[in-house]
Amino acid sequence: MIQVIDEYKLNLYGICVGCRHCKTRNDASRYCIAHPKKLPPEIWNAEGAECPYFEERE
């Protein structure tokens, strides 16, 4: 059995970094208020991914 420790990679070019829905917790981990259950890693990790909830930060 394989256990995934961290499916979220450090991606400085992902779409989430520039979205107003992306927030940071006290422990420096990130979460998205538009994805209440779980931020999909395929959106966070992929450069050039699209998200239907993306709203650019002001």
Side-chain angles (χ1 to χ4, degrees):
M1 185 168 103
I2 298 174
Q3 180 180 5
V4 177
I5 295 171
D6 185 10
E7 61 188 325
Y8 298 99
K9 301 173 181 72
L10 176 61
N11 184 359
L12 300 177
Y13 305 104
I15 193 170
C16 300
V17 175
C19 181
R20 73 177 193 90
H21 295 297
C22 185
K23 306 292 182 191
T24 306
R25 293 186 183 96
N26 290 340
D27 64 357
S29 64
R30 299 245 179 174
Y31 69 98
C32 177
I33 59 174
H35 294 278
K37 290 189 178 196
K38 179 181 175 185
L39 177 62
E42 58 271 11
I43 292 176
W44 176 264
N45 293 336
E47 185 175 344
E50 293 186 17
C51 177
Y53 303 107
F54 178 78
E55 291 183 28
E56 194 168 346
R57 290 180 192 256
E58 295 180 359

Short mmCIF file of all heavy atoms in Angstrom, two decimals:
data_model
loop_
_atom_site.label_atom_id
_atom_site.label_comp_id
_atom_site.label_asym_id
_atom_site.label_seq_id
_atom_site.Cartn_x
_atom_site.Cartn_y
_atom_site.Cartn_z
N MET A 1 0.84 -1.18 0.00
CA MET A 1 0.00 0.00 0.00
C MET A 1 0.88 1.24 0.00
O MET A 1 1.86 1.33 0.73
CB MET A 1 -0.90 -0.02 1.23
CG MET A 1 -1.87 1.13 1.22
SD MET A 1 -3.15 0.91 2.49
CE MET A 1 -2.56 2.04 3.71
N ILE A 2 0.51 2.22 -0.81
CA ILE A 2 1.25 3.48 -0.90
C ILE A 2 0.44 4.57 -0.21
O ILE A 2 -0.76 4.70 -0.44
CB ILE A 2 1.50 3.86 -2.36
CG1 ILE A 2 2.36 2.80 -3.04
CG2 ILE A 2 2.15 5.23 -2.45
CD1 ILE A 2 2.54 3.02 -4.52
N GLN A 3 1.12 5.35 0.62
CA GLN A 3 0.46 6.46 1.29
C GLN A 3 0.97 7.76 0.70
O GLN A 3 2.17 7.99 0.60
CB GLN A 3 0.76 6.43 2.79
CG GLN A 3 0.09 7.56 3.54
CD GLN A 3 0.39 7.52 5.02
OE1 GLN A 3 1.17 6.69 5.49
NE2 GLN A 3 -0.21 8.41 5.76
N VAL A 4 0.04 8.63 0.28
CA VAL A 4 0.41 9.93 -0.26
C VAL A 4 0.53 10.90 0.90
O VAL A 4 -0.43 11.13 1.63
CB VAL A 4 -0.65 10.43 -1.27
CG1 VAL A 4 -0.29 11.83 -1.76
CG2 VAL A 4 -0.77 9.47 -2.43
N ILE A 5 1.71 11.45 1.08
CA ILE A 5 1.95 12.37 2.19
C ILE A 5 1.49 13.78 1.83
O ILE A 5 0.82 14.44 2.59
CB ILE A 5 3.44 12.37 2.59
CG1 ILE A 5 3.81 11.00 3.13
CG2 ILE A 5 3.73 13.45 3.63
CD1 ILE A 5 5.28 10.80 3.35
N ASP A 6 1.87 14.23 0.64
CA ASP A 6 1.49 15.57 0.22
C ASP A 6 1.25 15.58 -1.29
O ASP A 6 2.18 15.48 -2.06
CB ASP A 6 2.59 16.57 0.58
CG ASP A 6 2.18 18.01 0.28
OD1 ASP A 6 1.01 18.25 -0.03
OD2 ASP A 6 3.05 18.88 0.36
N GLU A 7 0.00 15.70 -1.69
CA GLU A 7 -0.32 15.71 -3.11
C GLU A 7 -0.24 17.12 -3.70
O GLU A 7 -0.39 17.30 -4.90
CB GLU A 7 -1.70 15.11 -3.36
CG GLU A 7 -2.83 15.84 -2.69
CD GLU A 7 -4.15 15.11 -2.80
OE1 GLU A 7 -4.39 14.47 -3.84
OE2 GLU A 7 -4.93 15.18 -1.85
N TYR A 8 0.01 18.12 -2.87
CA TYR A 8 0.12 19.50 -3.34
C TYR A 8 1.59 19.89 -3.41
O TYR A 8 2.29 19.91 -2.41
CB TYR A 8 -0.63 20.45 -2.40
CG TYR A 8 -2.10 20.16 -2.36
CD1 TYR A 8 -2.65 19.42 -1.33
CD2 TYR A 8 -2.93 20.61 -3.37
CE1 TYR A 8 -4.00 19.15 -1.29
CE2 TYR A 8 -4.29 20.34 -3.35
CZ TYR A 8 -4.82 19.61 -2.31
OH TYR A 8 -6.16 19.34 -2.28
N LYS A 9 2.03 20.21 -4.59
CA LYS A 9 3.42 20.61 -4.80
C LYS A 9 3.53 22.12 -4.73
O LYS A 9 2.55 22.83 -4.91
CB LYS A 9 3.88 20.12 -6.17
CG LYS A 9 3.79 18.61 -6.34
CD LYS A 9 4.11 18.23 -7.77
CE LYS A 9 4.02 16.74 -7.98
NZ LYS A 9 2.68 16.21 -7.99
N LEU A 10 4.72 22.62 -4.50
CA LEU A 10 4.95 24.05 -4.51
C LEU A 10 4.93 24.50 -5.96
O LEU A 10 5.81 24.16 -6.74
CB LEU A 10 6.30 24.39 -3.87
CG LEU A 10 6.69 25.86 -3.91
CD1 LEU A 10 5.68 26.72 -3.16
CD2 LEU A 10 8.07 26.05 -3.33
N ASN A 11 3.91 25.23 -6.35
CA ASN A 11 3.77 25.67 -7.73
C ASN A 11 3.56 27.18 -7.73
O ASN A 11 2.47 27.67 -7.44
CB ASN A 11 2.58 24.97 -8.39
CG ASN A 11 2.44 25.34 -9.85
OD1 ASN A 11 3.21 26.12 -10.38
ND2 ASN A 11 1.45 24.77 -10.50
N LEU A 12 4.58 27.92 -8.04
CA LEU A 12 4.50 29.38 -8.04
C LEU A 12 3.80 29.93 -9.27
O LEU A 12 3.53 31.12 -9.34
CB LEU A 12 5.91 29.97 -7.94
CG LEU A 12 6.70 29.57 -6.70
CD1 LEU A 12 8.10 30.15 -6.75
CD2 LEU A 12 6.00 30.01 -5.43
N TYR A 13 3.52 29.08 -10.25
CA TYR A 13 2.90 29.53 -11.49
C TYR A 13 1.47 29.04 -11.65
O TYR A 13 0.85 29.25 -12.67
CB TYR A 13 3.75 29.07 -12.68
CG TYR A 13 5.17 29.54 -12.56
CD1 TYR A 13 6.19 28.66 -12.19
CD2 TYR A 13 5.50 30.87 -12.78
CE1 TYR A 13 7.49 29.09 -12.06
CE2 TYR A 13 6.81 31.30 -12.64
CZ TYR A 13 7.80 30.41 -12.29
OH TYR A 13 9.08 30.85 -12.15
N GLY A 14 0.94 28.38 -10.64
CA GLY A 14 -0.43 27.88 -10.71
C GLY A 14 -1.43 29.02 -10.65
O GLY A 14 -1.16 30.11 -10.14
N ILE A 15 -2.62 28.77 -11.16
CA ILE A 15 -3.66 29.79 -11.23
C ILE A 15 -4.12 30.22 -9.83
O ILE A 15 -4.53 31.36 -9.63
CB ILE A 15 -4.84 29.28 -12.09
CG1 ILE A 15 -5.78 30.43 -12.43
CG2 ILE A 15 -5.56 28.14 -11.42
CD1 ILE A 15 -6.82 30.09 -13.47
N CYS A 16 -4.05 29.34 -8.85
CA CYS A 16 -4.55 29.63 -7.51
C CYS A 16 -3.79 30.79 -6.84
O CYS A 16 -4.37 31.52 -6.03
CB CYS A 16 -4.45 28.40 -6.63
SG CYS A 16 -5.41 27.00 -7.25
N VAL A 17 -2.54 30.94 -7.15
CA VAL A 17 -1.73 31.98 -6.50
C VAL A 17 -2.30 33.37 -6.77
O VAL A 17 -2.27 34.24 -5.91
CB VAL A 17 -0.26 31.88 -6.97
CG1 VAL A 17 0.57 33.01 -6.42
CG2 VAL A 17 0.33 30.54 -6.55
N GLY A 18 -2.88 33.58 -7.94
CA GLY A 18 -3.43 34.88 -8.29
C GLY A 18 -4.92 35.04 -8.08
O GLY A 18 -5.53 36.02 -8.49
N CYS A 19 -5.55 34.06 -7.40
CA CYS A 19 -7.00 34.07 -7.22
C CYS A 19 -7.37 34.61 -5.84
O CYS A 19 -6.73 34.31 -4.85
CB CYS A 19 -7.55 32.65 -7.38
SG CYS A 19 -9.34 32.55 -7.20
N ARG A 20 -8.44 35.38 -5.80
CA ARG A 20 -8.87 35.95 -4.51
C ARG A 20 -9.50 34.92 -3.59
O ARG A 20 -9.67 35.15 -2.40
CB ARG A 20 -9.81 37.12 -4.73
CG ARG A 20 -11.20 36.76 -5.19
CD ARG A 20 -12.07 38.02 -5.30
NE ARG A 20 -13.46 37.66 -5.45
CZ ARG A 20 -14.30 37.49 -4.42
NH1 ARG A 20 -13.89 37.65 -3.19
NH2 ARG A 20 -15.55 37.14 -4.64
N HIS A 21 -9.85 33.74 -4.10
CA HIS A 21 -10.42 32.68 -3.27
C HIS A 21 -9.36 31.88 -2.53
O HIS A 21 -9.68 31.16 -1.59
CB HIS A 21 -11.25 31.71 -4.12
CG HIS A 21 -12.46 32.33 -4.74
ND1 HIS A 21 -13.49 32.84 -4.01
CD2 HIS A 21 -12.77 32.55 -6.04
CE1 HIS A 21 -14.41 33.33 -4.82
NE2 HIS A 21 -13.99 33.17 -6.06
N CYS A 22 -8.11 31.99 -2.94
CA CYS A 22 -7.02 31.25 -2.31
C CYS A 22 -6.60 31.96 -1.02
O CYS A 22 -6.23 33.13 -1.04
CB CYS A 22 -5.85 31.14 -3.27
SG CYS A 22 -4.50 30.12 -2.65
N LYS A 23 -6.67 31.26 0.07
CA LYS A 23 -6.35 31.82 1.39
C LYS A 23 -5.24 31.00 2.05
O LYS A 23 -4.98 29.87 1.67
CB LYS A 23 -7.59 31.79 2.30
CG LYS A 23 -8.81 32.47 1.71
CD LYS A 23 -8.61 33.95 1.58
CE LYS A 23 -9.88 34.59 1.03
NZ LYS A 23 -9.70 35.96 0.66
N THR A 24 -4.62 31.56 3.06
CA THR A 24 -3.55 30.90 3.79
C THR A 24 -3.96 30.70 5.25
O THR A 24 -4.44 31.63 5.89
CB THR A 24 -2.26 31.73 3.74
OG1 THR A 24 -1.95 32.02 2.38
CG2 THR A 24 -1.09 30.99 4.36
N ARG A 25 -3.76 29.49 5.76
CA ARG A 25 -4.04 29.20 7.16
C ARG A 25 -2.88 29.65 8.04
O ARG A 25 -1.82 30.01 7.55
CB ARG A 25 -4.25 27.69 7.34
CG ARG A 25 -5.48 27.17 6.67
CD ARG A 25 -5.67 25.69 7.04
NE ARG A 25 -6.81 25.15 6.34
CZ ARG A 25 -6.76 24.47 5.20
NH1 ARG A 25 -5.60 24.24 4.62
NH2 ARG A 25 -7.86 24.02 4.64
N ASN A 26 -3.05 29.56 9.34
CA ASN A 26 -1.99 29.93 10.29
C ASN A 26 -0.75 29.07 10.14
O ASN A 26 0.35 29.51 10.45
CB ASN A 26 -2.51 29.84 11.73
CG ASN A 26 -3.52 30.92 12.04
OD1 ASN A 26 -3.57 31.94 11.36
ND2 ASN A 26 -4.34 30.68 13.03
N ASP A 27 -0.91 27.82 9.67
CA ASP A 27 0.24 26.93 9.51
C ASP A 27 0.89 27.07 8.12
O ASP A 27 1.67 26.23 7.72
CB ASP A 27 -0.15 25.48 9.78
CG ASP A 27 -1.16 24.94 8.78
OD1 ASP A 27 -1.62 25.70 7.89
OD2 ASP A 27 -1.50 23.75 8.87
N ALA A 28 0.51 28.10 7.38
CA ALA A 28 1.05 28.43 6.06
C ALA A 28 0.51 27.55 4.94
O ALA A 28 0.90 27.71 3.79
CB ALA A 28 2.57 28.43 6.04
N SER A 29 -0.40 26.61 5.25
CA SER A 29 -1.01 25.81 4.19
C SER A 29 -2.09 26.65 3.51
O SER A 29 -2.62 27.59 4.08
CB SER A 29 -1.60 24.52 4.75
OG SER A 29 -2.64 24.79 5.65
N ARG A 30 -2.40 26.30 2.28
CA ARG A 30 -3.37 27.05 1.49
C ARG A 30 -4.68 26.30 1.36
O ARG A 30 -4.72 25.08 1.43
CB ARG A 30 -2.81 27.30 0.10
CG ARG A 30 -1.54 28.09 0.11
CD ARG A 30 -1.76 29.37 -0.54
NE ARG A 30 -0.52 30.15 -0.52
CZ ARG A 30 -0.41 31.28 -1.12
NH1 ARG A 30 -1.40 31.77 -1.80
NH2 ARG A 30 0.70 31.97 -1.05
N TYR A 31 -5.75 27.05 1.18
CA TYR A 31 -7.05 26.45 0.92
C TYR A 31 -7.85 27.40 0.05
O TYR A 31 -7.46 28.54 -0.17
CB TYR A 31 -7.80 26.13 2.22
CG TYR A 31 -8.26 27.36 2.98
CD1 TYR A 31 -9.56 27.82 2.86
CD2 TYR A 31 -7.39 28.05 3.82
CE1 TYR A 31 -9.99 28.94 3.56
CE2 TYR A 31 -7.80 29.16 4.51
CZ TYR A 31 -9.11 29.61 4.39
OH TYR A 31 -9.51 30.73 5.07
N CYS A 32 -8.96 26.91 -0.49
CA CYS A 32 -9.77 27.70 -1.40
C CYS A 32 -11.20 27.75 -0.88
O CYS A 32 -11.80 26.71 -0.63
CB CYS A 32 -9.74 27.08 -2.80
SG CYS A 32 -10.78 27.94 -3.99
N ILE A 33 -11.75 28.95 -0.76
CA ILE A 33 -13.12 29.06 -0.27
C ILE A 33 -14.14 28.65 -1.33
O ILE A 33 -15.29 28.36 -1.01
CB ILE A 33 -13.42 30.48 0.25
CG1 ILE A 33 -13.23 31.52 -0.84
CG2 ILE A 33 -12.57 30.81 1.45
CD1 ILE A 33 -13.65 32.93 -0.43
N ALA A 34 -13.73 28.57 -2.59
CA ALA A 34 -14.63 28.14 -3.67
C ALA A 34 -14.73 26.61 -3.75
O ALA A 34 -15.66 26.10 -4.35
CB ALA A 34 -14.17 28.70 -5.00
N HIS A 35 -13.77 25.91 -3.19
CA HIS A 35 -13.78 24.44 -3.15
C HIS A 35 -13.83 24.03 -1.69
O HIS A 35 -12.82 23.73 -1.08
CB HIS A 35 -12.51 23.87 -3.80
CG HIS A 35 -12.40 24.14 -5.26
ND1 HIS A 35 -13.04 23.38 -6.21
CD2 HIS A 35 -11.74 25.10 -5.94
CE1 HIS A 35 -12.75 23.84 -7.41
NE2 HIS A 35 -11.98 24.89 -7.27
N PRO A 36 -15.02 24.00 -1.07
CA PRO A 36 -15.13 23.76 0.37
C PRO A 36 -14.64 22.39 0.83
O PRO A 36 -14.13 22.28 1.94
CB PRO A 36 -16.61 23.95 0.67
CG PRO A 36 -17.30 23.78 -0.63
CD PRO A 36 -16.33 24.18 -1.69
N LYS A 37 -14.78 21.36 0.01
CA LYS A 37 -14.36 20.03 0.44
C LYS A 37 -12.86 19.85 0.30
O LYS A 37 -12.19 19.42 1.22
CB LYS A 37 -15.08 18.95 -0.35
CG LYS A 37 -16.54 18.86 -0.01
CD LYS A 37 -17.18 17.67 -0.64
CE LYS A 37 -18.63 17.63 -0.22
NZ LYS A 37 -19.22 16.35 -0.46
N LYS A 38 -12.32 20.18 -0.86
CA LYS A 38 -10.90 19.97 -1.10
C LYS A 38 -10.49 20.68 -2.40
O LYS A 38 -11.14 20.54 -3.41
CB LYS A 38 -10.62 18.47 -1.25
CG LYS A 38 -9.19 18.13 -1.53
CD LYS A 38 -9.06 16.62 -1.67
CE LYS A 38 -7.65 16.27 -2.06
NZ LYS A 38 -7.52 14.85 -2.33
N LEU A 39 -9.42 21.42 -2.32
CA LEU A 39 -8.88 22.07 -3.51
C LEU A 39 -8.29 20.99 -4.41
O LEU A 39 -7.39 20.26 -3.99
CB LEU A 39 -7.80 23.07 -3.12
CG LEU A 39 -7.09 23.79 -4.24
CD1 LEU A 39 -8.06 24.63 -5.06
CD2 LEU A 39 -6.00 24.68 -3.69
N PRO A 40 -8.79 20.85 -5.64
CA PRO A 40 -8.28 19.79 -6.51
C PRO A 40 -6.80 19.98 -6.84
O PRO A 40 -6.41 21.04 -7.33
CB PRO A 40 -9.13 19.92 -7.78
CG PRO A 40 -10.34 20.68 -7.36
CD PRO A 40 -9.89 21.58 -6.25
N PRO A 41 -5.94 19.00 -6.55
CA PRO A 41 -4.52 19.14 -6.84
C PRO A 41 -4.23 19.33 -8.31
O PRO A 41 -3.24 19.96 -8.67
CB PRO A 41 -3.89 17.87 -6.29
CG PRO A 41 -4.99 16.94 -5.99
CD PRO A 41 -6.25 17.74 -5.91
N GLU A 42 -5.10 18.83 -9.19
CA GLU A 42 -4.86 19.03 -10.62
C GLU A 42 -5.02 20.50 -11.03
O GLU A 42 -4.46 20.93 -12.02
CB GLU A 42 -5.77 18.14 -11.47
CG GLU A 42 -7.25 18.31 -11.25
CD GLU A 42 -7.83 17.43 -10.16
OE1 GLU A 42 -7.07 16.79 -9.40
OE2 GLU A 42 -9.07 17.37 -10.06
N ILE A 43 -5.75 21.28 -10.25
CA ILE A 43 -5.83 22.72 -10.50
C ILE A 43 -4.64 23.42 -9.85
O ILE A 43 -4.00 24.27 -10.45
CB ILE A 43 -7.15 23.31 -9.97
CG1 ILE A 43 -8.33 22.76 -10.80
CG2 ILE A 43 -7.13 24.83 -10.01
CD1 ILE A 43 -9.68 23.19 -10.30
N TRP A 44 -4.32 23.05 -8.61
CA TRP A 44 -3.21 23.70 -7.90
C TRP A 44 -1.86 23.40 -8.55
O TRP A 44 -1.04 24.28 -8.73
CB TRP A 44 -3.18 23.23 -6.45
CG TRP A 44 -2.02 23.78 -5.69
CD1 TRP A 44 -0.81 23.16 -5.48
CD2 TRP A 44 -1.90 25.05 -5.09
NE1 TRP A 44 0.04 23.97 -4.77
CE2 TRP A 44 -0.63 25.15 -4.52
CE3 TRP A 44 -2.76 26.14 -4.96
CZ2 TRP A 44 -0.19 26.28 -3.84
CZ3 TRP A 44 -2.32 27.26 -4.27
CH2 TRP A 44 -1.06 27.31 -3.74
N ASN A 45 -1.63 22.18 -8.91
CA ASN A 45 -0.30 21.75 -9.37
C ASN A 45 -0.01 22.07 -10.83
O ASN A 45 1.16 22.16 -11.20
CB ASN A 45 -0.14 20.23 -9.18
CG ASN A 45 -0.10 19.83 -7.72
OD1 ASN A 45 0.23 20.62 -6.86
ND2 ASN A 45 -0.46 18.61 -7.45
N ALA A 46 -1.01 22.22 -11.65
CA ALA A 46 -0.79 22.37 -13.08
C ALA A 46 -0.58 23.83 -13.49
O ALA A 46 -1.35 24.70 -13.11
CB ALA A 46 -1.96 21.80 -13.86
N GLU A 47 0.46 24.06 -14.25
CA GLU A 47 0.68 25.40 -14.81
C GLU A 47 -0.30 25.58 -15.96
O GLU A 47 -0.43 24.73 -16.83
CB GLU A 47 2.12 25.52 -15.31
CG GLU A 47 2.44 26.92 -15.80
CD GLU A 47 3.91 27.07 -16.18
OE1 GLU A 47 4.72 26.22 -15.80
OE2 GLU A 47 4.22 28.05 -16.87
N GLY A 48 -1.03 26.67 -15.97
CA GLY A 48 -1.98 26.96 -17.02
C GLY A 48 -3.32 26.26 -16.85
O GLY A 48 -4.13 26.24 -17.77
N ALA A 49 -3.59 25.69 -15.67
CA ALA A 49 -4.88 25.04 -15.43
C ALA A 49 -5.97 26.10 -15.36
O ALA A 49 -5.71 27.26 -15.06
CB ALA A 49 -4.83 24.26 -14.12
N GLU A 50 -7.19 25.68 -15.63
CA GLU A 50 -8.32 26.59 -15.55
C GLU A 50 -9.21 26.17 -14.39
O GLU A 50 -9.36 24.99 -14.10
CB GLU A 50 -9.11 26.57 -16.85
CG GLU A 50 -8.32 27.15 -18.00
CD GLU A 50 -9.14 27.25 -19.27
OE1 GLU A 50 -10.39 27.18 -19.19
OE2 GLU A 50 -8.54 27.40 -20.33
N CYS A 51 -9.81 27.14 -13.74
CA CYS A 51 -10.72 26.89 -12.63
C CYS A 51 -11.98 27.71 -12.87
O CYS A 51 -11.89 28.91 -13.15
CB CYS A 51 -10.07 27.28 -11.31
SG CYS A 51 -11.18 27.06 -9.89
N PRO A 52 -13.16 27.10 -12.74
CA PRO A 52 -14.40 27.85 -12.98
C PRO A 52 -14.66 28.93 -11.93
O PRO A 52 -15.47 29.82 -12.16
CB PRO A 52 -15.48 26.77 -12.94
CG PRO A 52 -14.89 25.65 -12.17
CD PRO A 52 -13.41 25.70 -12.41
N TYR A 53 -13.98 28.87 -10.80
CA TYR A 53 -14.19 29.84 -9.73
C TYR A 53 -13.13 30.94 -9.68
O TYR A 53 -13.14 31.77 -8.78
CB TYR A 53 -14.21 29.12 -8.37
CG TYR A 53 -15.25 28.04 -8.29
CD1 TYR A 53 -14.89 26.70 -8.32
CD2 TYR A 53 -16.59 28.35 -8.22
CE1 TYR A 53 -15.84 25.70 -8.25
CE2 TYR A 53 -17.56 27.37 -8.15
CZ TYR A 53 -17.17 26.04 -8.18
OH TYR A 53 -18.13 25.07 -8.12
N PHE A 54 -12.21 30.94 -10.63
CA PHE A 54 -11.10 31.90 -10.59
C PHE A 54 -11.60 33.33 -10.67
O PHE A 54 -12.39 33.69 -11.53
CB PHE A 54 -10.13 31.65 -11.74
CG PHE A 54 -8.98 32.64 -11.78
CD1 PHE A 54 -7.92 32.50 -10.92
CD2 PHE A 54 -9.01 33.71 -12.63
CE1 PHE A 54 -6.88 33.41 -10.93
CE2 PHE A 54 -7.98 34.64 -12.66
CZ PHE A 54 -6.92 34.48 -11.80
N GLU A 55 -11.13 34.16 -9.74
CA GLU A 55 -11.36 35.60 -9.74
C GLU A 55 -10.04 36.25 -9.38
O GLU A 55 -9.50 35.98 -8.30
CB GLU A 55 -12.45 35.99 -8.74
CG GLU A 55 -13.83 35.52 -9.14
CD GLU A 55 -14.89 35.99 -8.17
OE1 GLU A 55 -14.73 37.05 -7.53
OE2 GLU A 55 -15.91 35.28 -8.05
N GLU A 56 -9.56 37.09 -10.25
CA GLU A 56 -8.24 37.70 -10.05
C GLU A 56 -8.21 38.57 -8.80
O GLU A 56 -9.17 39.28 -8.49
CB GLU A 56 -7.86 38.52 -11.27
CG GLU A 56 -6.41 38.91 -11.30
CD GLU A 56 -5.98 39.46 -12.65
OE1 GLU A 56 -6.72 39.30 -13.62
OE2 GLU A 56 -4.90 40.05 -12.70
N ARG A 57 -7.08 38.50 -8.09
CA ARG A 57 -6.88 39.36 -6.91
C ARG A 57 -6.80 40.81 -7.34
O ARG A 57 -6.33 41.13 -8.41
CB ARG A 57 -5.57 39.01 -6.20
CG ARG A 57 -5.56 37.71 -5.51
CD ARG A 57 -4.20 37.48 -4.86
NE ARG A 57 -4.08 36.11 -4.42
CZ ARG A 57 -4.20 35.74 -3.15
NH1 ARG A 57 -4.41 36.62 -2.22
NH2 ARG A 57 -4.10 34.48 -2.83
N GLU A 58 -7.24 41.68 -6.47
CA GLU A 58 -7.17 43.12 -6.77
C GLU A 58 -5.85 43.69 -6.39
O GLU A 58 -5.16 43.26 -5.55
CB GLU A 58 -8.27 43.85 -6.03
CG GLU A 58 -9.64 43.44 -6.53
CD GLU A 58 -10.73 44.18 -5.79
OE1 GLU A 58 -10.45 44.99 -4.88
OE2 GLU A 58 -11.89 43.93 -6.10
#
